[in-house]
């Protein structure tokens, strides 16, 4: 009699790769269907009270946080060794990198995840921006800019142990300040972050797809931790748990494609490839797949500069709108909260500058038209 198939029958590496691919497929399909866009969330913040994309993003962050903290509270997940909770807080890198990333995603029309989704539907502008982002990220991570990055982050870092803290966890800060147990501190911090976010999300009615998409994408964060930290945990080759992020894996995917015979696929690469496939399938099924190119040299330059800013900024800030804004925040990391705040600040500054420039051009055009009418009337 044949036994049924079970996940336990697979080796940890296979679970890791299949899990990353499945989560990527889900993200790409959901993001394409729901128009999930963090750059759009920042634009909503400054332009519309309904802010559907902002509400979707906040719901994703709240669901991600609740799911991840539930795994931690149940004793199934230990995020203490993740890249989001070291004792050294790279304050300068987090803030400067976040600002650069925020400006960059306005210039390119989307963060790394959004560009992947758009490129899968035939947007060549997004594809070129992604390539530039990946090159700039790898140059900052492992190439010519790696040593200056490390020196800057070290020089502007803050050692939290000097303040009696073991790491960047807000739970530790709350426990120390309020003099409560770690469990109580966790509950208080989660409530302080989630309840205001949910109150804002449901204060106005928006198109259901934004909220449904945000909630489903939020669930992918604890799903990623469950795959890497629980299902694929390997006692012979222990690795820190990780979940969804874009900047680093995108750079690794580019290198993997260039050095396939000498490289190894991991969770991040599988997840990035999955995004492209999932988004492409939805674009084709909905009849949205079509090639879209650049419109002039100025437009091209804007996308290239934006790609560089996101690549360098994403590595400096140790993550992007997904890696820091969803995954990092779900671990209650101080650095992640600072990073996503800086990203939104950079995006808002860039959007405000664009609004001012557009208004100035309109005003000058109006003055020129009035002058032309006046000259015509006098002749």
């Amino acid at each position: 009699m044949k036994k049924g198939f079970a996940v336990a029958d697979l080796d940890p590496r296979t679970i890791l790769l299949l899990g990353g691919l499945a989560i990527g497929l889900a993200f790409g399909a959901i993001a394409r269907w729901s128009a999930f866009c963090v750059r759009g969330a920042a634009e909503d913040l400054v332009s519309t009270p309904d802010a559907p994309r902002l509400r979707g993003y906040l719901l994703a962050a709240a669901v991600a946080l609740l799911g991840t903290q539930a795994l931690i509270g149940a004793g199934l997940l230990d995020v203490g060794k993740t890249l989001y909770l070291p004792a050294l807080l790279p304050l300068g890198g987090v803030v400067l990198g976040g600002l650069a990333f925020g400006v960059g995603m306005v210039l390119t029309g989307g963060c790394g995840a959004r560009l992947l989704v758009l490129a899968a539907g035939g947007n060549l502008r997004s594809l070129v921006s992604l390539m530039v982002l990946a090159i700039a990220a790898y140059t900052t991570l492992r190439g010519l800019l790696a040593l200056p990055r490390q020196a800057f982050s070290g020089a502007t870092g803050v050692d939290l142990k000097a303040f009696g803290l073991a790491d960047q966890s807000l739970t530790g800060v709350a426990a120390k300040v309020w003099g409560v147990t770690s469990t109580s501190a966790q509950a208080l911090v989660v409530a302080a972050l989630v309840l205001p976010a949910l109150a804002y999300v449901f204060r106005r009615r928006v198109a259901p797809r934004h909220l449904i998409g945000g909630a489903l994408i939020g669930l992918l964060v604890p799903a990623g931790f469950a795959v890497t930290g629980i299902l694929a945990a390997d006692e012979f080759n222990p690795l820190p748990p990780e979940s969804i992020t874009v900047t680093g894996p995108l750079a690794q995917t580019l290198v993997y494609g260039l050095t396939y015979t000498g490289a190894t696929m991991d969770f991040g690469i599988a997840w990035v490839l999955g995004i492209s496939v999932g988004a492409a399938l939805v674009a084709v099924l909905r009849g949205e797949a079509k090639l879209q190119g650049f419109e002039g040299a100025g437009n091209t330059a804007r996308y290239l500069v934006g790609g560089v800013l996101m690549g360098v900024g994403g590595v400096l800030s140790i993550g992007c709108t997904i890696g820091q804004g969803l995954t990092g925040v779900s671990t209650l990391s101080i650095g992640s909260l600072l990073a996503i705040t800086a990203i939104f600040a950079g995006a808002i500054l860039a959007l405000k500058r664009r609004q001012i420039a557009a208004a100035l051009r309109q005003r000058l055009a109006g003055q020129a038209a009035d002058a032309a009418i006046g000259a015509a009337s006098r002749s």
Side-chain angles (χ1 to χ4, degrees):
M1 184 176 180
K2 292 183 178 180
K3 292 182 178 180
F5 172 79
V7 174
D9 297 330
L10 301 175
D11 65 275
R13 175 170 166 73
T14 301
I15 295 173
L16 191 76
L17 298 182
L18 289 178
L21 181 64
I23 291 171
L25 284 167
F27 184 97
I30 295 166
R32 181 81 200 190
W33 167 75
S34 65
F36 185 83
C37 177
V38 188
R39 184 265 188 193
E43 187 174 16
D44 283 355
L45 184 60
V46 300
S47 64
T48 172
D50 290 338
R53 292 170 293 185
L54 177 61
R55 294 175 198 276
Y57 182 68
L58 285 176
L59 183 57
V63 170
L65 194 157
L66 288 171
T68 300
Q69 292 303 309
L71 291 176
I72 295 170
L76 298 173
L77 178 67
D78 179 10
V79 294
K81 294 183 179 179
T82 62
L83 59 84
Y84 303 107
L85 295 173
L88 180 65
L89 172 63
L91 185 60
V94 164
V95 174
L96 182 61
L99 290 170
F101 190 96
V103 172
M105 74 177 186
V106 170
L107 293 177
T108 60
C111 65
R114 181 61 177 169
L115 294 181
L116 273 169
V117 171
L118 293 176
N123 190 314
L124 300 179
R125 301 187 299 271
S126 296
L127 179 61
V128 171
S129 298
L130 280 172
M131 294 177 66
V132 173
L133 190 164
I135 293 170
Y138 200 81
T139 301
T140 309
L141 189 66
R142 298 276 189 269
L144 293 174
L145 297 180
L147 292 179
R149 170 185 61 81
Q150 292 170 356
F152 174 75
S153 295
T156 59
V158 177
D159 186 0
L160 297 178
K161 289 183 178 179
F163 299 92
L165 300 173
D167 54 35
Q168 295 181 38
S169 173
L170 273 175
T171 300
V173 176
K176 185 178 180 62
V177 172
W178 295 329
V180 296
T181 65
S182 178
T183 302
S184 298
Q186 179 191 32
L188 290 170
V189 171
V190 169
L193 292 175
V194 170
L195 292 180
L198 293 179
Y200 176 81
V201 167
F202 295 109
R203 188 165 59 90
R204 288 176 179 266
R205 285 189 175 184
V206 297
R209 65 181 178 130
H210 293 291
L211 301 184
I212 295 171
L216 292 175
I217 284 175
L219 287 174
L220 297 179
V221 173
F225 278 128
V227 168
T228 63
I230 302 172
L231 298 176
D234 187 354
E235 59 182 4
F236 299 106
N237 182 31
L239 296 172
E242 60 179 304
S243 191
I244 57 176
T245 185
V246 175
T247 304
L250 184 63
Q252 298 290 356
T253 302
L254 175 64
V255 174
Y256 179 78
L258 296 173
T259 62
Y260 170 76
T261 56
T264 302
M265 182 175 286
D266 58 15
F267 174 84
I269 296 174
W271 128 266
V272 166
L273 295 176
I275 293 175
S276 300
V277 176
L281 287 174
V282 173
V284 171
L285 290 174
R286 299 182 70 182
E288 298 171 347
K290 61 178 180 179
L291 293 178
Q292 301 175 59
F294 290 98
E295 300 174 357
N299 188 265
T300 305
R302 175 166 61 85
Y303 278 85
L304 296 179
V305 172
V308 171
L309 288 174
M310 282 201 293
V312 176
V315 174
L316 268 178
S317 60
I318 319 178
C320 55
T321 53
I322 303 299
Q324 288 282 40
L326 295 185
T327 299
V329 166
S330 79
T331 68
L332 299 181
S333 165
I334 296 172
S336 296
L337 287 167
L338 289 174
I340 193 59
T341 300
I343 288 173
F344 266 84
I348 290 170
L349 286 173
L351 288 167
K352 288 290 187 181
R353 180 187 179 280
R354 180 176 291 184
Q355 289 177 348
I356 293 171
L360 182 59
R361 286 195 298 270
Q362 186 176 9
R363 181 178 178 183
L364 292 175
Q367 292 175 347
D370 291 341
I373 293 173
S377 64
R378 290 192 297 271
S379 62

